[in-house]
Amino acid sequence: MLGLSTDGNLENADVFFAGVSNGQPYSSNYYGNSDGKLSLQPISEWHLMYSNESNMETTLTFYRELSGPNMKMNITQNTMRVLWGYGKTDNVSDSFQLDGVKSQYLLQEQLPELEMPNDAFHIQFRVNETQIPKSKTTYWCKSFETPQLDEQVHAIVFSPYIQEGNEAFVHHIVVYGCYGNLSKGNNNGYDGKCYSKNMPNDWNNCIEVVFAWAIGGSKFALPEHAGLPVGGKDDHEYYLLEIHYDNPEEKEGVLDSSGIDITLTKSKRQYNVGILTIGYTVTGFSQFIPPYAEEFKYYGHCEACGSMITPERNSQWNEDGVKMFAVLLHAHLTGRKIRVRHIRNGKLLPDVMYDENYDFNYQELRYMKKETFLSQGDILQTECVYDTTQRTKFTKGGLGTEEEMCLAFILIYPRTKLKRCITDVEYDRNIINMDPLHYKNNEDAIKKMELIVNGLEPKTNFTQICSDRSSRVKYKNRPFPVIKSDDLSTIQPTTTEENSAAKFCVTTGIIFIFISYWLI
């Protein structure tokens, strides 16, 4: 069985059963009902192309259209949950039990395999025989100083290294870039639990994502004409490695040396890559989300920092703007949807990136469909949607996983002076009803709260913060940007992709490799 779901459950899933019985192939398509049971569809959206059974092994090849007018579920660039299971018999039960779920970007853009330069060399950001704590979830951080180099070089490939045997424990890895004036604590930097009392506060300011990997992900290669600069006077001076360990059985004595390996070259490419962080501020009062909300929205705008989008000049680049080519969307546990909109002269352009099925446990840098020009007068709007229906207290913004964020990290070239372009809203807490029960079954109260925190109510101050590596500028009393659109469909996520005629093909051999990986 193979299926597709937006949230990992059988409810509303699109499921395909196939196999071989007495030498004859069979297949059927089911939809999940609201009670979790399955209903047979009269016309299958999945098509069995090949089947074979021999030596206790079954091989199946099948395909499915990406989208269609009558399909219950279209395959888009959203995160999709792939469901899988093996039946003990050839009988399909309407209450079939899953064997596993895996989040995937099924339409992830891919760059062609790059040929490594002759002068390529590697650095490793790994923990060293760290004992995984006896707790279900742990975030472990280790700091690294930038290697001493004779000259500036370019990082071109980021590759995850997961220690053999620990695949089930290492859930995701993030590398953050940090600038100077950090208190390293001791000569070896910091090596311990993230965001704990023992972690020096300065390390908490390392929030510029350089690379992120999650279960199911692979290496990330920069395009041939761009590289992330390392070792120069304006580059990151330190890096912080964050590993999320998942230990549901609370095992003891497991040692780990996983991390990220980075390939660098002295053969510098045409452009220096920069990282532009946009969204809603993480510091100060930050976010404040009421409980019992099914879809609570926060907006971050990058609209007053255009003068700082001044790209590095060279003989190949003389534009008043930059190219965007990859994005990492970031929220925490209650985040459900994230979208980055692109506005020029009040008109809505195609989205930079979106994910309507956001999964906190599956975060990766994603290539854009095509490189997109960002000019000095453009506006970027980050929209995050949260579901707090399972919470009974307010959710605050912050670094902890139980707190929230609303950020997008955009890879650009050439790099600019601007590093962060985020929104803050100042308001008097007295205009907020602080009783959590006030928001239970009270949609009007939730919507009013949403207007307040986004600066759309009286007595609120919508502020834009523009930062470079060492300073920041605040623009107060900014108006909430107005988006004009002649076509309202451009504001909503599309349900089909441009290549809707393409096929989604999977073989059981590939699926078996994934399953064996999960069950280690």
Side-chain angles (χ1 to χ4, degrees), residues 8-31:
N9 297 312
L10 279 175
E11 291 88 345
N12 301 313
D14 182 4
V15 181
F16 179 65
F17 289 90
V20 178
S21 178
N22 298 321
Q24 297 298 315
Y26 65 88
S27 64
S28 54
N29 185 193
Y30 286 76
Y31 281 167

Side-chain angles (χ1 to χ4, degrees), residues 90-117:
D90 289 316
N91 295 321
V92 178
S93 169
D94 66 353
S95 57
F96 188 88
Q97 297 297 309
L98 294 176
D99 285 326
V101 180
K102 185 179 181 64
S103 290
Q104 288 280 276
Y105 303 135
L106 295 178
L107 297 186
Q108 167 70 296
E109 300 295 318
Q110 297 291 339
L111 292 180
E113 190 69 26
L114 298 178
E115 183 176 343
M116 288 296 103

Side-chain angles (χ1 to χ4, degrees), residues 9-58:
N9 297 312
L10 279 175
E11 291 88 345
N12 301 313
D14 182 4
V15 181
F16 179 65
F17 289 90
V20 178
S21 178
N22 298 321
Q24 297 298 315
Y26 65 88
S27 64
S28 54
N29 185 193
Y30 286 76
Y31 281 167
N33 301 321
S34 58
D35 59 2
K37 293 188 176 182
L38 302 175
S39 296
L40 178 65
Q41 300 306 298
I43 301 177
S44 178
E45 297 169 356
W46 303 70
H47 308 282
L48 185 62
M49 300 172 62
Y50 170 81
S51 63
N52 182 61
E53 186 175 62
S54 62
N55 299 323
M56 301 296 292
E57 181 177 288
T58 301

Side-chain angles (χ1 to χ4, degrees), residues 137-404:
T137 299
T138 301
Y139 286 80
W140 195 271
C141 284
K142 183 176 181 179
S143 63
F144 297 86
E145 192 167 359
T146 300
Q148 295 297 316
L149 301 168
D150 296 332
E151 59 183 332
Q152 186 187 65
V153 299
H154 271 169
I156 56 175
V157 180
F158 298 85
S159 304
Y161 170 78
I162 311 302
Q163 180 173 321
E164 185 176 355
N166 286 356
E167 292 85 354
F169 295 98
V170 181
H171 198 280
H172 72 253
I173 303 174
V174 182
V175 176
Y176 299 95
C178 323
Y179 293 104
N181 300 320
L182 291 172
S183 56
K184 294 187 289 183
N186 55 55
N187 292 333
N188 296 321
Y190 183 73
D191 189 2
K193 290 184 179 181
C194 304
Y195 320 122
S196 69
K197 294 180 180 179
N198 295 326
M199 184 173 176
N201 287 332
D202 286 345
W203 289 112
N204 289 324
N205 295 322
C206 299
I207 59 174
E208 185 171 89
V209 172
V210 174
F211 175 72
W213 170 90
I215 289 177
S218 57
K219 67 181 180 181
F220 183 87
L222 295 174
E224 291 184 335
H225 48 278
L228 185 75
V230 176
K233 63 181 180 65
D234 294 324
D235 304 334
H236 297 121
E237 297 177 41
Y238 305 94
Y239 295 89
L240 188 67
L241 177 74
E242 175 190 278
I243 300 181
H244 172 190
Y245 289 117
D246 191 16
N247 188 7
E249 298 179 7
E250 299 184 344
K251 293 183 178 180
E252 294 184 272
V254 180
L255 301 179
D256 184 59
S257 297
S258 299
I260 299 295
D261 296 346
I262 303 176
T263 303
L264 305 101
T265 176
K266 294 182 179 180
S267 303
K268 292 178 63 177
R269 295 176 169 184
Q270 281 179 283
Y271 306 112
N272 286 331
V273 168
I275 302 167
L276 176 60
T277 302
I278 64 171
Y280 200 90
T281 183
V282 182
T283 59
F285 186 35
S286 192
Q287 293 171 274
F288 207 55
I289 306 172
Y292 310 110
E294 186 174 0
E295 287 199 350
F296 191 88
K297 296 179 181 179
Y298 254 95
Y299 294 93
H301 297 92
C302 180
E303 53 85 30
C305 306
S307 61
M308 295 176 69
I309 304 179
T310 303
E312 294 178 335
R313 303 290 183 180
N314 60 29
S315 58
Q316 288 87 25
W317 193 266
N318 195 33
E319 303 284 346
D320 289 327
V322 296
K323 284 286 187 74
M324 303 179 287
F325 67 90
V327 183
L328 183 138
L329 304 173
H330 183 69
H332 286 174
L333 293 174
T334 66
R336 295 295 179 269
K337 304 176 183 180
I338 307 179
R339 182 178 298 271
V340 178
R341 295 189 175 96
H342 188 189
I343 303 120
R344 180 173 296 156
N345 298 324
K347 292 286 187 177
L348 193 63
L349 302 178
D351 289 333
V352 175
M353 186 66 69
Y354 70 85
D355 194 338
E356 296 248 303
N357 305 325
Y358 175 78
D359 183 355
F360 169 71
N361 293 313
Y362 185 61
Q363 300 180 61
E364 282 199 310
L365 278 166
R366 301 168 67 174
Y367 297 110
M368 297 170 60
K369 283 191 171 183
K370 62 179 181 179
E371 296 181 350
T372 301
F373 189 75
L374 175 67
S375 69
Q376 290 186 353
D378 290 355
I379 296 173
L380 295 175
Q381 181 194 71
T382 309
E383 178 189 84
C384 297
V385 181
Y386 304 94
D387 180 351
T388 59
T389 52
Q390 301 303 310
R391 296 196 173 185
T392 58
K393 298 180 180 179
F394 284 93
T395 298
K396 299 179 181 179
L399 298 170
T401 56
E402 294 296 326
E403 298 171 316
E404 268 306 337

